[in-house]
């Protein structure tokens, strides 16, 4: 699995896409930091997290679109099927490879926090809590992208479908906002990644929220493994 | 080493391969021969775990590819029809990756450099795969299959798309590898198979139509030991003389192909060699034999005959 993580991570930097993802994340986060925090003269970094939260839905498809679709197109997937590795190792390798790029990109918030430390005494605990939420959200989004890219040979198709799914996920709780059914509202709230992010954002580590992200991501990875395993039977 | 039993792959109503079975022993170099679309790649893909069979079993060094895939795959090095290369990696990075993926327990640098020397890719080692010529890519593909020194190599059309010089080089390489590995190599080009393999399996429309040593296959397909003689002598008398030879079943007058001589096809009775007798009788009468050509089929003809019969069925 380590071999796959390593290859996946380094392959992001053989293409512009890795630089693009990190660059756009740095740029947008720093832009928000400058206008919402620095110019305001506050040490509250929460607007940066709000921007990153929205941005990730849009740009995570960039780093997931080629994960499996590219392998299929170049027929390099044959390597995985005929080498002594399991599909679970392949999927986890791909997943963690993409997660690493995501973690590197979003770690920019720590730089912002260090800058703030010169002007006041920022809450490091809150930052770490929010960052954990952001990373868990990333895992979920990457999981969605991984499943979609297992289904198509085209990177563009993978990116567009992933974007559609993440955008729907983002607003899924609005679906029932005018509903009178408590159950329906509960269900859509439970599905909504944003709903579970609120706790982290406010500095509350809630087991249910952590469980939500990890179980949803696990389920998606399991689906990706099943898709790859099934392909042998096609 | 490899045991394939009753392998069948069905896509809906269509059979890609049907009841394919063979055994390959240690040290054999076996050629899998068949026209395009005969089922060669399907068979190899199933053997190496890329595809699942509809029914049938594959056992590699005693490990079933379905029940014990990890162990089975450790024993096989596979070069698919299209070498599975990442164009954005250098040869070095790619071979490193394969070394890690296969979890080889050997000295990395020593192992990889030995393989590079063997397949002659030292010169392109630091280069990006997308910038390599087809011949070099094929070699990198073979290098990848050799990582971990698996006892069995499965090579799917290793010379396809190469120029004649490269073909000879790859063929020599395979013969060389055959000293240390058991090899199954597929091709639709007879020449290649004939040159390196000591056993041939012919597959057509998903079924095995012949399996054995080259000459055995030829003998089996050629119905009799007929041959043609060109004799400079009076036509009718020569015919009479020939027909009298014990062991000759039938004489067919094949007409005049060269002035001053006549061709006869001699069909001997089953398994009798009458060539010596024919020579002596004709020599007695001072009728020189201009030529004597065996009517045995060439491997090409055998191949065409085997694959044609199946076509017309």
């Amino acid at each position: 699995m380590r071999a796959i993580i390593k290859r996946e991570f380094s392959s992001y930097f053989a293409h512009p896409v890795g630089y693009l993802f990190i660059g756009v994340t740095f740029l947008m986060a720093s832009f928000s930091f400058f206008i919402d925090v620095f110019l305001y003269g506050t040490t509250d970094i929460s607007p940066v997290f709000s921007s990153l939260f929205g941005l990730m839905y849009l740009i995570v498809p960039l780093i997931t679109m080629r994960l499996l679709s590219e392998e299929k197109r170049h027929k390099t997937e044959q390597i995985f099927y005929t080498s002594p590795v399991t599909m679970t190792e392949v999927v986890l390798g791909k997943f963690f490879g993409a997660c690493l790029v995501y973690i590197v990109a979003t770690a920019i918030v720590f730089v912002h926090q260090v800058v703030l430390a010169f002007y006041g005494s920022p809450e490091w605990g809150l930052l770490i809590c929010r960052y954990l939420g952001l990373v868990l959200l990333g895992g979920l989004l990457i999981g969605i992208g991984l499943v979609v890219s297992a289904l198509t040979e085209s990177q563009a198709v993978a990116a567009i479908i992933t974007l559609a799914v993440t955008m729907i996920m983002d607003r899924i709780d609005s679906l029932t906002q005018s509903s009178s059914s408590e159950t329906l509202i509960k269900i859509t709230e439970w599905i909504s990644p944003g709903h579970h992010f609120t706790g982290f954002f406010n500095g509350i580590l809630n087991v249910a929220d952590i469980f939500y992200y990890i179980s949803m991501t696990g389920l998606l990875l399991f689906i990706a493994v099943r898709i790859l395993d099934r392909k042998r039977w096609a | 080493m490899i045991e394939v039993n009753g392998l069948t792959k069905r896509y809906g109503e269509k059979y890609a391969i049907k009841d394919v079975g063979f055994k390959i022993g240690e040290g054999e170099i076996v050629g899998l021969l068949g026209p395009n679309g005969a089922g060669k790649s399907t068979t190899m893909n199933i053997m190496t775990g890329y595809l699942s069979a509809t029914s049938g079993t594959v056992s590699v060094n005693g490990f079933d590819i379905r029940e014990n895939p990890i162990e089975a795959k450790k024993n096989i090095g596979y070069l698919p029809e299209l070498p599975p290369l990442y164009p954005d990696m250098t040869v070095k990075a790619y071979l490193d990756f394969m070394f890690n993926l296969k979890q080889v327990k050997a000295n990395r640098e020593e192992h990889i450099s030995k393989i590079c020397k063997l397949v002659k890719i030292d010169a392109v080692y630091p280069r990006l795969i997308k910038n390599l010529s087809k011949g070099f890519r094929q070699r990198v593909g073979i290098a990848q299959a050799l990582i971990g020194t698996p006892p069995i190599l499965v090579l799917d059309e290793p010379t396809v798309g190469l120029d004649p010089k490269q073909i000879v080089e790859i063929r020599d390489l395979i013969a060389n590898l055959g000293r240390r590995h058991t090899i199954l190599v597929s091709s639709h080009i007879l020449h290649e198979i004939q040159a390196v393999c000591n056993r041939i399996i012919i597959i057509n429309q998903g079924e095995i139509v012949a399996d054995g040593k080259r000459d055995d296959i030829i003998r089996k397909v050629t119905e009799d030991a007929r041959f043609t003689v060109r004799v400079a002598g009076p036509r009718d008398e020569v015919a009479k003389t020939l027909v009298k030879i014990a062991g000759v079943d039938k004489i067919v007058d094949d007409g005049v192909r060269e002035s001053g001589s006549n061709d006869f096809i001699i069909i001997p009775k089953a398994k009798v060699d009458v060539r010596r007798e024919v020579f002596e009788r004709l020599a007695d009468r001072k009728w020189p034999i201009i030529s004597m050509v065996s009517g045995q089929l060439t491997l090409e003809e055998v191949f065409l005959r085997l694959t044609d019969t199946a076509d017309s069925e």
Side-chain angles (χ1 to χ4, degrees), chain A:
Chain A
M1 189 168 83
R2 267 171 52 195
I4 302 173
I5 297 177
K6 197 177 149 202
R7 194 209 100 73
E8 209 51 54
F9 183 70
S10 52
S11 81
Y12 281 111
F13 303 101
H15 296 271
V17 66
Y19 297 104
L20 192 67
F21 180 80
I22 293 176
V24 168
T25 308
F26 279 13
L27 180 76
M28 297 307 287
S30 302
F31 186 67
S32 166
F33 176 73
F34 188 72
I35 57 170
D36 299 331
V37 182
F38 207 71
L39 292 184
Y40 252 68
T42 162
T43 54
D44 176 19
I45 202 170
S46 59
V48 178
F49 275 94
S50 300
S51 317
L52 282 179
F53 177 82
L55 180 69
M56 287 308 139
Y57 282 89
L58 297 173
I59 67 170
V60 159
L62 264 185
I63 55 167
T64 61
M65 62 184 185
R66 27 181 302 283
L67 281 177
L68 291 162
S69 54
E70 183 93 331
E71 303 272 355
K72 238 179 299 173
R73 213 162 58 90
H74 286 308
K75 294 263 180 204
T76 41
E77 52 170 359
Q78 262 175 319
I79 290 173
F80 300 125
Y81 286 102
T82 59
S83 296
V85 287
T86 61
M87 283 306 124
T88 309
E89 288 175 89
V90 172
V91 166
L92 287 178
K94 296 260 166 195
F95 174 75
F96 287 123
C99 283
L100 270 182
V101 176
Y102 181 93
I103 287 170
V104 169
T106 50
I108 184 71
V109 292
F110 287 98
V111 176
H112 297 151
Q113 188 84 332
V114 168
V115 172
L116 287 184
F118 288 102
Y119 301 95
S121 46
E123 295 175 69
W124 286 95
L126 180 61
L127 177 87
I128 288 167
C129 184
R130 284 171 174 169
Y131 187 67
L132 177 68
L134 196 64
V135 169
L136 287 173
L137 171 77
L140 176 66
L141 298 176
I142 291 169
I144 294 171
L146 196 60
V147 170
V148 175
S149 86
L151 292 169
T152 171
E153 272 185 34
S154 155
Q155 289 187 38
V157 170
I160 291 166
I161 294 180
T162 306
L163 186 65
V165 175
T166 56
M167 294 311 283
I168 290 171
M169 288 289 278
D170 183 27
R171 304 203 51 204
I172 192 109
D173 47 351
S174 312
L175 204 64
T176 49
Q177 59 190 354
S178 56
S179 166
S180 54
S181 160
E182 278 287 311
T183 338
L184 270 181
I185 294 173
K186 280 245 162 66
I187 290 174
T188 50
E189 270 183 2
W190 195 84
I191 298 172
S192 160
H195 181 76
H196 294 274
F197 187 71
T198 319
F200 292 102
F201 189 77
N202 295 328
I204 303 158
L205 269 185
N206 190 337
V207 179
D209 293 335
I210 298 176
F211 174 78
Y212 160 81
Y213 281 115
I214 291 179
S215 60
M216 287 288 270
T217 308
L219 178 70
L220 287 163
L221 297 185
F222 175 74
I223 293 171
V225 172
R226 297 302 304 158
I227 294 171
L228 292 188
D229 265 332
R230 260 187 64 93
K231 204 154 291 159
R232 251 188 268 241
W233 297 94

Side-chain angles (χ1 to χ4, degrees), chain B residues 131-250:
Chain B
N131 296 335
L132 297 185
S133 69
K134 182 127 181 47
F136 272 121
R137 284 186 202 197
Q138 202 72 24
R139 279 161 196 271
V140 176
I142 295 177
Q144 159 276 129
L146 286 171
I147 283 186
T149 335
I152 299 163
L153 291 178
V154 176
L155 310 173
D156 195 356
E157 308 242 3
T159 59
V160 77
L162 301 184
D163 68 37
K165 187 167 167 273
Q166 292 169 327
I167 291 179
V168 173
E169 283 172 1
I170 296 278
R171 204 192 287 158
D172 290 346
L173 175 63
I174 293 171
N176 186 8
L177 291 172
R179 286 192 227 132
R180 281 173 302 262
H181 302 265
T182 301
I183 301 181
L184 178 66
V185 52
S186 81
S187 178
H188 60 276
I189 303 162
L190 279 148
H191 258 30
E192 250 168 61
I193 296 268
Q194 224 167 329
V196 292
C197 301
N198 37 38
R199 184 177 141 204
I200 297 170
I201 297 173
I202 300 181
I203 184 169
N204 187 48
Q205 298 198 333
E207 288 178 82
I208 290 182
V209 287
D211 178 355
K213 296 217 175 291
R214 176 183 165 269
D215 290 349
D216 292 343
I217 292 181
I218 292 175
R219 204 172 312 134
K220 224 167 109 187
V221 175
T222 314
E223 297 89 349
D224 46 44
R226 68 176 61 193
F227 58 97
T228 305
V229 280
R230 180 168 297 169
V231 186
R235 198 181 78 167
D236 295 342
E237 278 181 63
V238 172
K240 263 183 220 155
T241 310
L242 288 174
V243 104
K244 274 188 210 143
I245 297 171
V248 169
D249 187 30
K250 232 165 93 186

Side-chain angles (χ1 to χ4, degrees), chain B residues 7 9 14 19 70 92 105 115 135 153 155-156 166 177 186 193 211 215 217 240 278 298 309 313:
Chain B
L7 217 55
K9 178 77 180 174
K14 198 183 171 311
D19 202 23
I70 301 285
K92 177 187 185 310
K105 286 175 190 72
I115 291 172
L153 291 178
L155 310 173
D156 195 356
Q166 292 169 327
L177 291 172
S186 81
I193 296 268
D211 178 355
D215 290 349
I217 292 181
K240 263 183 220 155
V278 167
T298 62
T309 340
E313 264 171 17

Side-chain angles (χ1 to χ4, degrees), chain B residues 72-114:
Chain B
K73 287 170 192 172
K74 275 185 190 164
N75 283 284
I76 299 187
Y78 181 36
L79 171 72
E81 203 172 350
L82 199 74
L85 307 173
Y86 292 103
D88 56 12
M89 286 178 115
T90 62
V91 175
K92 177 187 185 310
Y94 175 69
L95 294 180
D96 264 353
F97 166 64
M98 291 308 294
F99 185 92
N100 292 336
L101 191 70
K102 293 188 180 183
Q103 293 168 22
V104 181
K105 286 175 190 72
N107 182 301
R108 174 194 303 267
E109 296 203 350
E110 211 177 287
H111 186 67
I112 294 180
S113 103
K114 216 167 102 188

Side-chain angles (χ1 to χ4, degrees), chain B residues 38-51:
Chain B
K40 302 185 297 282
S41 292
T42 306
T43 306
M44 290 182 151
N45 279 335
I46 294 173
M47 287 173 64
T48 53
Y50 181 50
L51 286 177

